[in-house]
Amino acid sequence: MGVMTMNVREKLQLDYEGLIAHGPITIVAFGDSVTHGAVGEGEIDYETVYWNRLRQKLNAVRDYVPVNVINAAIGGITAEASLARMEKQVFKHEPDLLIVCFGLNDVNGELDTYLSSLKEIFARANARGIDTVFMTPNMLNTYVAEDTPQQHWNYAHITAEVQNSGRMDRYIYAAVALAEEMGITVCDCYSEWKKLSETEDTTMMLANRINHPTREMHELFAAMLFDTIIGDGAAAGDTESTMYRET
């Protein structure tokens, strides 16, 4: 077992001497196109992506401590295909927090492959003592919207079937169970999307009408992550330049 890192909530309270000793907060976001920053067709937005909004929310609580986020996501990739890049793209940064979000592409493969890949990711993070959050992804489209990009029309039929058949549910719920079994904190955004789908058209919450959330829905991810990390809120400690503000 590696040396346990100081968690984000603790680091947020560092003073001048603490920053010298421990350095700023470092978060690595590890995932696919949603984490990469993809929104509409051919469009990437690093300003409104959830991990940037999370960074802003953390500094809205206390802006004295820098929060750096490493975007280690690649659009179209799976958890299995990401295993080989963990050392260079994740662990070399010695993160205080690792956010893992895979599933949207993995659902096109075998469930066992998805789970075994996540298990390896979680095990490697645990071995290094890295605080890790498994953030479940958004739902896929439930029908083919009229404004779906023409080049993705056929795939939109496939993803709608994946969602409506319960296949996506099985993958995500199995991943949640695995994470909990391995002691990994879960931020279950998928279940929140499922609740929304009972009263709202969640397909219209997808910027590409398939699998990329709108900018507004990235805010949901950020808010749920913030609550998962901070809980009831960080209490100001006896620090220089405290700079705490209500969110």
Side-chain angles (χ1 to χ4, degrees):
M1 192 73 172
V3 177
M4 291 298 292
T5 57
M6 179 178 291
N7 66 38
V8 170
R9 183 168 177 166
E10 291 173 333
K11 262 199 166 183
L12 202 59
Q13 301 184 50
L14 292 177
D15 59 7
Y16 174 80
E17 296 297 336
L19 279 180
I20 292 175
H22 301 288
I25 293 169
T26 299
I27 298 172
V28 173
F30 193 46
D32 50 38
S33 57
V34 173
T35 302
H36 192 152
V39 278
E41 176 62 19
E43 183 181 23
I44 290 179
D45 191 337
Y46 296 127
E47 294 301 313
T48 59
V49 65
Y50 73 83
W51 49 258
N52 193 42
R53 288 293 298 125
L54 171 64
R55 179 186 63 79
Q56 293 167 354
K57 287 177 182 294
L58 291 171
N59 275 148
V61 173
R62 185 164 188 258
D63 60 9
Y64 181 68
V65 179
V67 179
N68 300 316
V69 181
I70 306 299
N71 185 1
I74 301 175
I77 206 164
T78 63
E80 180 186 29
S82 297
L83 292 174
R85 60 194 186 93
M86 289 193 74
E87 290 297 332
K88 290 185 177 181
Q89 297 180 24
V90 176
F91 297 137
K92 71 172 294 183
H93 300 292
E94 299 183 355
D96 300 293
L97 175 68
L98 172 61
I99 300 170
V100 177
C101 184
F102 291 100
L104 296 175
N105 302 309
D106 307 79
V107 75
N108 296 315
E110 296 298 322
L111 177 59
D112 286 347
T113 301
Y114 176 48
L115 294 178
S116 63
S117 301
L118 284 180
K119 184 175 182 178
E120 183 67 19
I121 291 171
F122 297 154
R124 291 184 189 180
N126 280 341
R128 289 165 175 80
I130 298 172
D131 285 345
T132 301
V133 172
F134 174 53
M135 187 183 83
T136 56
N138 49 275
M139 288 174 58
L140 300 168
N141 58 305
T142 57
Y143 65 94
V144 181
E146 292 183 1
D147 59 347
T148 301
Q150 191 62 42
Q151 63 269 35
H152 299 313
W153 194 266
N154 290 336
Y155 187 55
H157 281 88
I158 294 172
T159 50
E161 173 61 23
V162 167
Q163 186 64 62
N164 295 331
S165 68
R167 181 181 176 92
M168 188 68 177
D169 288 2
R170 290 193 296 275
Y171 275 59
I172 301 306
Y173 295 152
V176 167
L178 171 67
E180 291 176 341
E181 178 184 320
M182 297 184 69
I184 299 296
T185 299
V186 176
C187 179
D188 195 1
C189 297
Y190 184 78
S191 290
E192 191 63 28
W193 276 74
K194 292 287 289 185
K195 291 177 184 176
L196 288 171
S197 71
E198 296 173 3
T199 56
E200 301 186 46
D201 185 349
T202 51
T203 297
M204 289 295 109
M205 297 176 186
L206 300 170
N208 66 349
R209 301 297 187 251
I210 300 173
N211 55 11
H212 296 162
T214 60
R215 290 170 174 82
E216 293 77 15
M217 293 309 291
H218 271 273
E219 186 67 24
L220 171 68
F221 290 148
M224 291 186 67
L225 276 170
F226 179 85
D227 289 344
T228 299
I229 296 165
I230 299 299
D232 295 332
D238 295 328
T239 59
E240 298 177 10
S241 301
T242 304
M243 300 181 192
Y244 277 96
R245 290 194 286 269
E246 293 184 0
T247 56

